[in-house]
Amino acid sequence: MLDKNLTHALNLPAGNDVFLRADWQAPARVRTLISTRAGGVSQGAYAGLNIATHVGDQAEHVTRNRAIVQAQIPVPLAYLNQVHGNAVVAAADSLNEPLSADASVNHDGTAACAVMTADCLPVLFCDRAGTVVAAAHAGWRGLAGGVLQNTLAAMNVPAVEIMAWLGPAIGAEAFEVGQDVYDAFCTDDIKAQSAFQPIAQGKYLADIYALARLVLQREGVTQISGGQHCTVLERERFYSYRRDRQTGRMVSAIWLEN
């Protein structure tokens, strides 16, 4: 775990304008941090605070960027090897070597659940009592494949007690998809059709925030916040794979403060 003075000691750029916090009425013990592309040391296509090691950025830059983020969080960040699936792991088990999964959960405040995104939807979870937190990486494949349902199950509390926050993702104005995505959601759920706007034969604009809300509500989650950003359109603030292809990643993290 990195000391709070690390940013100053290493002369790393950081500040309150670099990070977002989930805008929800979570228990005081539940803490969040969402990075933007501001404040980091990466250059070129990755310019800013890229925290991903798998996108082609210089390793030393990613290391420094991760240090900037970690210096804001009092427990170690548990990064995942995200595979667009629906597996959920204990965050503490992914500290030494990132596990292949797309969501993590923590009950004891020993690790911060973390997911990387650059258009896909990060979803942060906690319960009303502040006893468990989780983070899920929900691209359309994971969302259709049950990653949110599996995350809720791993939290092991009634769904009515769970709060969810939808982090920065591609907005409905920018998320053009094909018939395969429409069919993945709408074949078995007619309500999902409301999240798709037809724009051409076999082409739609999809609202990933609306799709996530439908899944969560179907599972019994009633407190759902967030979902106001668009990573594609907010060019100066967020990385976007759909927009730029070669780009960095943000991190969305949640932890229990002991």
Side-chain angles (χ1 to χ4, degrees), residues 238-256:
F238 301 117
Y239 293 113
S240 168
Y241 180 80
R242 176 67 66 103
R243 183 187 64 227
D244 299 325
R245 295 300 175 182
Q246 185 181 14
T247 192
R249 300 293 186 272
M250 290 89 66
V251 63
S252 295
I254 187 168
W255 67 97
L256 291 170

Side-chain angles (χ1 to χ4, degrees), residues 44-143:
Y46 313 102
L49 191 61
N50 169 48
I51 50 77
T53 60
H54 67 286
V55 297
D57 196 2
Q58 294 184 41
E60 60 268 30
H61 288 169
V62 178
T63 297
R64 294 188 72 195
N65 289 338
R66 287 193 172 193
I68 292 171
V69 177
Q70 183 64 79
Q72 312 301 312
I73 300 175
V75 293
L77 278 156
Y79 291 99
L80 302 171
N81 175 30
Q82 297 169 192
V83 294
H84 294 274
N86 61 14
V88 185
V89 298
D93 292 342
S94 195
L95 289 176
N96 294 328
E97 184 71 25
L99 298 177
S100 293
D102 284 271
S104 64
V105 62
N106 181 259
H107 290 82
D108 62 6
T110 59
C113 302
V115 290
M116 297 179 290
T117 59
D119 288 334
C120 289
L121 173 63
V123 185
L124 303 181
F125 298 90
C126 71
D127 69 328
R128 299 187 195 194
T131 66
V132 58
V133 293
H137 161 246
W140 76 261
R141 289 181 179 83
L143 189 56

